[in-house]
Amino acid sequence: PESPLAGFSTALSQTPSISSISSEGREDLQVNRLEMQIWIKPDIQKTDVDFSEILNAIQEIAKDVHIFFDELEGVNSPSKDDDSLLHHGNMTSTSDDASRLEVVGEEVPDKNKTSGLYFRDGKCRIDYILVYRKSNPQTEKREIFERNIRAEGLQMEKESSLTNSDIIFVKLHAPWEVLGKYAELMNVRMPFRRKIYYLHRRYKFMNRIEKQISRFRGWLPRKPMKLDKETLPDLEENDCYTAPFSQQRIHHFIIHNKDTFFNNATRSRIVHHILQRVKYEEGKNKIGLNRLLSNGSYEAAFPLHEGSYRSKNSIRTHGAENHRHLLYECWASWGVWYKYQPLDLVRRYFGEKIGLYFAWLGWYTGMLFPAAFIGLFVFLYGVTTLNHCQVSKEVCQATDIIMCPICDKYCPFMRLSDSCVYAKVTHLFDNGATVFFAVFMAVWATVFLEFWKRRRAVIAYDWDLIDWEEEEEEIRPQFEAKYSKKERMNPISGKPEPYQAFADKCSRLIVSASGIFFMICVVIAAVFGIVIYRVVTVSTFAAFKWALIRNNSQVATTGTAVCINFCIIMLLNVLYEKVALFLTNLEQPRTESEWENSFTLKMFLFQFVNLNSSTFYIAFFLGRFTGHPGAYLRLINRWRLEECHPSGCLIDLCMQMGIIMVLKQTWNNFMELGYPLIQNWWTRRKLRQEYGAQRKTNFPQWEKDYNLQPMNAYGLFDEYLEMILQFGFTTIFVAAFPLAPLLALLNNVIEIRLDAYKFVTQWRRPLASRAKDIGIWYGILEGIGILSVITNAFVIAVTSDFIPRLVYAYKYGPCAGQGEAGQKCMVGYVNASLSVFLVSDFENRSEPTSNGSEFSGSPLKYCRYRDYRDPPHSPVPYGYTLQFWHVLAARLAFIIVFEHLVFCIKHLISYLIPDLPKDLRDRMRREKYLIQEMMYEAELERLQKERKERKKNGKSYHNEWP
């Protein structure tokens, strides 16, 4: 063989681990390992080997035997939770024997020993923290778990808390050998050669043009949104080709320092991978850290932040203290709200999954700029054309038109001119540009999703996620406990696993669907309660003593109803979370990803229906089924259904969307940042009172991080849900509220920095995890995009007056038959849209208390109302006119044409925009080719070097390659 240690390493690798061997076979294993020491000696004597190699082999044997004996004596050894192993007065404690080995003469910086990021030797960096309480009764499970951790090669140190002696911190460190072994098993991609960028050949004419453009750019200011590259670290993995780590080809990789080759996020991920596969008790399913956290054996588990996020020195003069400090200054600080996000640094510190969330949020915010600009343009167009709007002019000048009361008894007659202000406000949102904006937003939603797919592909390429596939997920402990009696072979792993029968699964899904339907009925019941409130209070406000409320009874009713509706929404959200959790657990999903997808779908469905049900009522039902004066439709034959304002229902829809959107976003921002801030402030206050401000600053990093708030139990669920619901508000009813994209843009600019501040300063560092995309949320976004086309078509056709005005202009107005539809064609529209009612035909319970004599000095005989009905003296009193049927037919035709047109445009755009940019496809092909060439050249170089060394040593082998 090429090496005398090859046989030994093969035999050692085939030896089973200690944790999987019964007590009866441990003596034989001890003899076998001792025989290995004797077996290797003659092989070493026969071969010309360097002495250092022999010494390393002996140290590995001694270390392995030591671990073996440590496990044999583990049952009789004192408890690891014993106070004798802990030091309470300083930051350090006794560590595992493996961590005590120090190279003689090597100096360790004092900063490492006092930073709280290293073991007491100052060399072993803390990769993971486990926290438990000594008073917890699960001592035996922890002892077995920690022995098996050491058997896996991890080094361990324990530390008691400075604030509570009952709390114990377990510090874990992964040596280079362990990192290399598991990095290869996990296919962790690492840099092995710097990228070579090839410039395309350009013609002289193009070079001259580029020179002129560069001169012109020199006069312009620098791009303010770009981050200063001098403050950002050189992220080597972004400028290098990467490949799955391999210990056999370790010479191919760029390793300047073994301690920093794997970054902190990768080290923590590897340690977490090990902890998830270590046993803590005899039994097939007694394995993994998650189960110990769920049964209370450990109180918390988290990787450490890289020191403080603040520094006494300026980052511009002294540089960043660590990546956390750099993220705070360049990302989480309010002073950089207008700059791009350092996504590569976010990914390096928090992992790809969180990095993808912020990449999506930044992309969504950037795409809101054109939508907000067009929406603002539509609003300003309404402002500029307000004085030229014929409809609002006629409403404001209609002092002789008396409108019928909008509620029973207490509501008075009113002049149409009294609603002049509301008519003008309605024109700001319902004008000629509204239809164009609705089409634009439907197309915008498609373009946003298509270009996000392209952006995601670029990010996946830059972050080495193209070829990454999720590992076979572990089965949830609850699923195993429920179905442990029934097993079948896993087609992937070939191992037996618990199995859920099809009939059982279907029955659980049916029960879960019934629960979802019941909760949707609860939402509808809440909306029904709001409707009754509006019906009852409009009469109450109409009889109010204050003239301001009495004269604006309908606006007061709408405003208070929206606020009450918001409170009901927030209360029901708490209930829905518990119901969704119960129904998801009832379904018994097999894996964590299945559980997460099921829970996400339920919570989104509940909250979407809860948030938008009252908006759907106002948009499509308010004032549509009220009947007419003298024959009103009533709830339970008692309450008269609410009518729209004389200027239309759109003003109610605008108020509903504006108030809900502002209140919801304000509340979410407070709960996301304000609540953790208050909790952390209260914790710091208690520590300051007990130990003083100076002692607080001397706490080690693990103590500081433990006092921070843990990340949400559902991960990024709340962050995604908030943005997806906002996306729905921005697209679904955007025809009624063109300023929604602008409000969303302003909120998201704040949201990015709020989330960044929360992740960097208020939360413990989450475990870095990988993901290729945003998961189930993309499908939900596509569904919202389809729904937005349908709802906007109905809002324009049913809620707004766009179709009635169009029919009047082309069929009944002064320009009828001429093919024109300008403002001059709208003369007389208001009068044509109002029907006449005989006051004496009022029902007894609807007859108003006043007779309208204040308008003309004598009792009113007629009043007007919004509808297309025949006059009272016609052959069919109050029957529908021909204009009503024309308007209805035009509305239905518009809905069909609008939907088909927009859907065709959406599909055409999605077809024309490829999911993968052409330059990225070429780069990927080029990289694959270069990687193959580089690997071949590196292997060839290694073999040639070995051949030269063999020739020097006087050895020769026949039939060698090359």
Side-chain angles (χ1 to χ4, degrees), residues 54-90:
I54 300 174
L55 183 61
N56 292 335
I58 294 173
Q59 288 179 349
E60 288 295 323
I61 295 167
K63 180 180 176 181
D64 195 55
V65 173
H66 166 72
I67 294 173
F68 170 69
F69 278 116
D70 181 53
E71 291 189 14
L72 288 179
E73 298 171 1
V75 179
N76 300 324
S77 62
S79 171
K80 301 297 180 185
D81 297 346
D82 194 354
D83 292 343
S84 61
L85 297 178
L86 301 172
H87 290 262
H88 301 275
N90 53 19

Short mmCIF file of all heavy atoms in Angstrom, two decimals, residues 54-90:
data_model
loop_
_atom_site.label_atom_id
_atom_site.label_comp_id
_atom_site.label_asym_id
_atom_site.label_seq_id
_atom_site.Cartn_x
_atom_site.Cartn_y
_atom_site.Cartn_z
N ILE A 54 4.13 8.69 12.58
CA ILE A 54 3.94 7.65 13.60
C ILE A 54 3.40 8.25 14.88
O ILE A 54 2.50 7.71 15.52
CB ILE A 54 5.28 6.93 13.87
CG1 ILE A 54 5.80 6.29 12.57
CG2 ILE A 54 5.13 5.89 14.96
CD1 ILE A 54 7.17 5.67 12.71
N LEU A 55 3.97 9.41 15.25
CA LEU A 55 3.53 10.07 16.47
C LEU A 55 2.06 10.46 16.40
O LEU A 55 1.30 10.28 17.35
CB LEU A 55 4.41 11.30 16.73
CG LEU A 55 4.13 12.07 18.03
CD1 LEU A 55 4.35 11.17 19.24
CD2 LEU A 55 5.04 13.30 18.11
N ASN A 56 1.65 10.99 15.26
CA ASN A 56 0.23 11.37 15.08
C ASN A 56 -0.67 10.15 15.18
O ASN A 56 -1.75 10.22 15.77
CB ASN A 56 0.03 12.05 13.73
CG ASN A 56 0.70 13.41 13.67
OD1 ASN A 56 0.91 14.04 14.70
ND2 ASN A 56 1.04 13.87 12.46
N ALA A 57 -0.23 9.03 14.59
CA ALA A 57 -1.05 7.81 14.66
C ALA A 57 -1.22 7.34 16.09
O ALA A 57 -2.31 6.96 16.53
CB ALA A 57 -0.42 6.72 13.81
N ILE A 58 -0.11 7.39 16.87
CA ILE A 58 -0.18 6.96 18.27
C ILE A 58 -1.11 7.87 19.07
O ILE A 58 -1.89 7.43 19.92
CB ILE A 58 1.23 6.92 18.89
CG1 ILE A 58 2.06 5.82 18.18
CG2 ILE A 58 1.18 6.66 20.38
CD1 ILE A 58 3.52 5.81 18.59
N GLN A 59 -1.04 9.19 18.80
CA GLN A 59 -1.92 10.13 19.52
C GLN A 59 -3.39 9.85 19.20
O GLN A 59 -4.25 9.93 20.08
CB GLN A 59 -1.54 11.56 19.15
CG GLN A 59 -0.22 12.03 19.75
CD GLN A 59 0.11 13.45 19.34
OE1 GLN A 59 -0.53 14.00 18.47
NE2 GLN A 59 1.12 14.01 19.98
N GLU A 60 -3.67 9.55 17.92
CA GLU A 60 -5.05 9.25 17.55
C GLU A 60 -5.54 7.99 18.27
O GLU A 60 -6.67 7.93 18.74
CB GLU A 60 -5.15 9.06 16.04
CG GLU A 60 -5.02 10.35 15.23
CD GLU A 60 -6.17 11.27 15.51
OE1 GLU A 60 -7.29 10.78 15.68
OE2 GLU A 60 -5.94 12.47 15.60
N ILE A 61 -4.63 6.97 18.37
CA ILE A 61 -5.02 5.73 19.06
C ILE A 61 -5.28 6.02 20.53
O ILE A 61 -6.28 5.60 21.11
CB ILE A 61 -3.91 4.67 18.91
CG1 ILE A 61 -3.79 4.26 17.43
CG2 ILE A 61 -4.20 3.45 19.77
CD1 ILE A 61 -2.55 3.46 17.15
N ALA A 62 -4.39 6.80 21.14
CA ALA A 62 -4.55 7.10 22.56
C ALA A 62 -5.84 7.88 22.81
O ALA A 62 -6.56 7.63 23.77
CB ALA A 62 -3.33 7.89 23.06
N LYS A 63 -6.09 8.80 21.90
CA LYS A 63 -7.30 9.62 22.06
C LYS A 63 -8.55 8.75 21.95
O LYS A 63 -9.49 8.87 22.71
CB LYS A 63 -7.32 10.72 21.00
CG LYS A 63 -8.53 11.63 21.05
CD LYS A 63 -8.43 12.67 19.96
CE LYS A 63 -9.67 13.52 19.94
NZ LYS A 63 -9.63 14.53 18.88
N ASP A 64 -8.53 7.82 20.96
CA ASP A 64 -9.68 6.96 20.75
C ASP A 64 -9.89 6.02 21.92
O ASP A 64 -11.01 5.81 22.38
CB ASP A 64 -9.48 6.18 19.44
CG ASP A 64 -10.76 5.55 18.97
OD1 ASP A 64 -11.74 6.29 18.81
OD2 ASP A 64 -10.77 4.31 18.78
N VAL A 65 -8.79 5.45 22.42
CA VAL A 65 -8.90 4.55 23.57
C VAL A 65 -9.36 5.32 24.81
O VAL A 65 -10.15 4.83 25.61
CB VAL A 65 -7.55 3.84 23.81
CG1 VAL A 65 -7.57 3.03 25.09
CG2 VAL A 65 -7.24 2.93 22.63
N HIS A 66 -8.87 6.55 24.94
CA HIS A 66 -9.29 7.35 26.09
C HIS A 66 -10.80 7.60 26.07
O HIS A 66 -11.49 7.47 27.08
CB HIS A 66 -8.54 8.68 26.08
CG HIS A 66 -9.13 9.70 27.00
ND1 HIS A 66 -9.01 9.61 28.37
CD2 HIS A 66 -9.86 10.81 26.74
CE1 HIS A 66 -9.64 10.63 28.92
NE2 HIS A 66 -10.15 11.37 27.95
N ILE A 67 -11.32 7.94 24.88
CA ILE A 67 -12.76 8.17 24.76
C ILE A 67 -13.53 6.90 25.08
O ILE A 67 -14.56 6.90 25.75
CB ILE A 67 -13.10 8.68 23.35
CG1 ILE A 67 -12.49 10.06 23.14
CG2 ILE A 67 -14.60 8.75 23.13
CD1 ILE A 67 -12.63 10.57 21.71
N PHE A 68 -12.94 5.77 24.63
CA PHE A 68 -13.60 4.48 24.87
C PHE A 68 -13.70 4.18 26.36
O PHE A 68 -14.74 3.83 26.89
CB PHE A 68 -12.84 3.39 24.12
CG PHE A 68 -13.27 2.00 24.48
CD1 PHE A 68 -14.51 1.54 24.10
CD2 PHE A 68 -12.43 1.18 25.22
CE1 PHE A 68 -14.91 0.26 24.43
CE2 PHE A 68 -12.84 -0.09 25.54
CZ PHE A 68 -14.07 -0.56 25.15
N PHE A 69 -12.58 4.32 27.07
CA PHE A 69 -12.59 4.06 28.51
C PHE A 69 -13.46 5.05 29.24
O PHE A 69 -14.10 4.71 30.23
CB PHE A 69 -11.16 4.10 29.05
CG PHE A 69 -10.42 2.81 28.82
CD1 PHE A 69 -9.31 2.77 27.99
CD2 PHE A 69 -10.85 1.63 29.41
CE1 PHE A 69 -8.63 1.58 27.79
CE2 PHE A 69 -10.17 0.44 29.21
CZ PHE A 69 -9.06 0.41 28.38
N ASP A 70 -13.50 6.28 28.76
CA ASP A 70 -14.35 7.29 29.40
C ASP A 70 -15.82 6.88 29.32
O ASP A 70 -16.58 7.05 30.26
CB ASP A 70 -14.15 8.64 28.72
CG ASP A 70 -14.98 9.71 29.35
OD1 ASP A 70 -14.91 9.87 30.57
OD2 ASP A 70 -15.73 10.39 28.61
N GLU A 71 -16.20 6.26 28.21
CA GLU A 71 -17.57 5.83 28.07
C GLU A 71 -17.85 4.57 28.89
O GLU A 71 -18.94 4.40 29.42
CB GLU A 71 -17.90 5.58 26.60
CG GLU A 71 -17.93 6.86 25.79
CD GLU A 71 -18.47 6.62 24.40
OE1 GLU A 71 -19.05 5.56 24.17
OE2 GLU A 71 -18.29 7.49 23.58
N LEU A 72 -16.83 3.69 29.00
CA LEU A 72 -17.02 2.49 29.81
C LEU A 72 -17.25 2.83 31.26
O LEU A 72 -18.03 2.19 31.97
CB LEU A 72 -15.81 1.55 29.67
CG LEU A 72 -15.64 0.81 28.33
CD1 LEU A 72 -14.38 -0.03 28.38
CD2 LEU A 72 -16.85 -0.06 28.04
N GLU A 73 -16.57 3.90 31.72
CA GLU A 73 -16.68 4.28 33.12
C GLU A 73 -17.73 5.34 33.35
O GLU A 73 -17.87 5.86 34.45
CB GLU A 73 -15.31 4.79 33.60
CG GLU A 73 -14.22 3.73 33.52
CD GLU A 73 -12.86 4.32 33.79
OE1 GLU A 73 -12.80 5.54 34.05
OE2 GLU A 73 -11.86 3.60 33.75
N GLY A 74 -18.50 5.67 32.29
CA GLY A 74 -19.46 6.76 32.42
C GLY A 74 -20.55 6.49 33.43
O GLY A 74 -21.05 7.38 34.08
N VAL A 75 -20.95 5.21 33.54
CA VAL A 75 -22.05 4.90 34.45
C VAL A 75 -21.64 5.10 35.89
O VAL A 75 -22.41 5.55 36.73
CB VAL A 75 -22.53 3.45 34.20
CG1 VAL A 75 -23.64 3.08 35.14
CG2 VAL A 75 -22.93 3.27 32.74
N ASN A 76 -20.36 4.79 36.20
CA ASN A 76 -19.89 4.88 37.58
C ASN A 76 -19.27 6.24 37.90
O ASN A 76 -18.92 6.49 39.03
CB ASN A 76 -18.85 3.78 37.85
CG ASN A 76 -19.44 2.39 37.65
OD1 ASN A 76 -20.60 2.16 37.96
ND2 ASN A 76 -18.64 1.47 37.10
N SER A 77 -19.09 7.08 36.87
CA SER A 77 -18.44 8.38 37.10
C SER A 77 -19.42 9.33 37.76
O SER A 77 -20.62 9.17 37.67
CB SER A 77 -17.96 8.96 35.77
OG SER A 77 -19.05 9.19 34.93
N PRO A 78 -18.90 10.38 38.43
CA PRO A 78 -19.80 11.35 39.04
C PRO A 78 -20.61 12.08 37.99
O PRO A 78 -20.21 12.19 36.84
CB PRO A 78 -18.84 12.30 39.78
CG PRO A 78 -17.52 12.12 39.10
CD PRO A 78 -17.48 10.71 38.67
N SER A 79 -21.75 12.62 38.40
CA SER A 79 -22.66 13.30 37.48
C SER A 79 -22.00 14.54 36.91
O SER A 79 -21.30 15.27 37.58
CB SER A 79 -23.94 13.70 38.22
OG SER A 79 -24.72 14.52 37.40
N LYS A 80 -22.24 14.75 35.60
CA LYS A 80 -21.70 15.95 34.96
C LYS A 80 -22.40 17.22 35.42
O LYS A 80 -21.94 18.31 35.15
CB LYS A 80 -21.84 15.82 33.43
CG LYS A 80 -21.13 14.60 32.85
CD LYS A 80 -19.65 14.66 33.07
CE LYS A 80 -18.93 13.45 32.50
NZ LYS A 80 -17.51 13.43 32.81
N ASP A 81 -23.54 17.08 36.04
CA ASP A 81 -24.24 18.24 36.56
C ASP A 81 -23.73 18.64 37.95
O ASP A 81 -24.22 19.58 38.55
CB ASP A 81 -25.74 17.96 36.66
CG ASP A 81 -26.32 17.70 35.28
OD1 ASP A 81 -25.62 18.01 34.30
OD2 ASP A 81 -27.45 17.21 35.21
N ASP A 82 -22.73 17.91 38.46
CA ASP A 82 -22.23 18.18 39.81
C ASP A 82 -21.58 19.56 39.87
O ASP A 82 -20.88 19.98 38.96
CB ASP A 82 -21.21 17.10 40.19
CG ASP A 82 -20.91 17.13 41.68
OD1 ASP A 82 -21.42 18.05 42.35
OD2 ASP A 82 -20.20 16.24 42.15
N ASP A 83 -21.82 20.29 40.97
CA ASP A 83 -21.26 21.63 41.13
C ASP A 83 -19.75 21.61 41.22
O ASP A 83 -19.10 22.63 41.02
CB ASP A 83 -21.83 22.30 42.39
CG ASP A 83 -23.31 22.61 42.21
OD1 ASP A 83 -23.75 22.61 41.04
OD2 ASP A 83 -23.99 22.85 43.21
N SER A 84 -19.15 20.46 41.55
CA SER A 84 -17.69 20.42 41.68
C SER A 84 -16.99 20.65 40.35
O SER A 84 -15.81 20.98 40.32
CB SER A 84 -17.27 19.06 42.25
OG SER A 84 -17.65 18.02 41.37
N LEU A 85 -17.69 20.47 39.24
CA LEU A 85 -17.08 20.68 37.93
C LEU A 85 -17.22 22.11 37.45
O LEU A 85 -16.77 22.44 36.37
CB LEU A 85 -17.73 19.75 36.90
CG LEU A 85 -17.57 18.25 37.14
CD1 LEU A 85 -18.30 17.48 36.07
CD2 LEU A 85 -16.09 17.88 37.15
N LEU A 86 -17.85 22.98 38.23
CA LEU A 86 -18.15 24.33 37.77
C LEU A 86 -17.41 25.36 38.59
O LEU A 86 -17.15 25.17 39.78
CB LEU A 86 -19.65 24.60 37.87
CG LEU A 86 -20.54 23.63 37.07
CD1 LEU A 86 -21.99 23.88 37.41
CD2 LEU A 86 -20.31 23.81 35.59
N HIS A 87 -17.08 26.48 37.94
CA HIS A 87 -16.49 27.63 38.61
C HIS A 87 -17.49 28.77 38.55
O HIS A 87 -17.88 29.20 37.48
CB HIS A 87 -15.18 28.04 37.94
CG HIS A 87 -14.08 27.04 38.15
ND1 HIS A 87 -13.11 27.18 39.11
CD2 HIS A 87 -13.81 25.86 37.51
CE1 HIS A 87 -12.28 26.15 39.05
NE2 HIS A 87 -12.68 25.33 38.09
N HIS A 88 -17.89 29.28 39.70
CA HIS A 88 -18.92 30.32 39.72
C HIS A 88 -18.33 31.71 39.66
O HIS A 88 -19.00 32.65 39.26
CB HIS A 88 -19.77 30.20 41.00
CG HIS A 88 -20.44 28.88 41.11
ND1 HIS A 88 -21.65 28.60 40.52
CD2 HIS A 88 -20.06 27.73 41.76
CE1 HIS A 88 -22.00 27.36 40.80
NE2 HIS A 88 -21.07 26.81 41.54
N GLY A 89 -17.09 31.87 40.06
CA GLY A 89 -16.57 33.22 40.20
C GLY A 89 -15.97 33.81 38.96
O GLY A 89 -15.73 35.00 38.92
N ASN A 90 -15.66 33.00 37.93
CA ASN A 90 -15.05 33.55 36.73
C ASN A 90 -15.81 33.07 35.50
O ASN A 90 -16.81 32.40 35.59
CB ASN A 90 -13.58 33.14 36.62
CG ASN A 90 -13.39 31.63 36.74
OD1 ASN A 90 -14.35 30.89 36.55
ND2 ASN A 90 -12.18 31.20 37.03
#
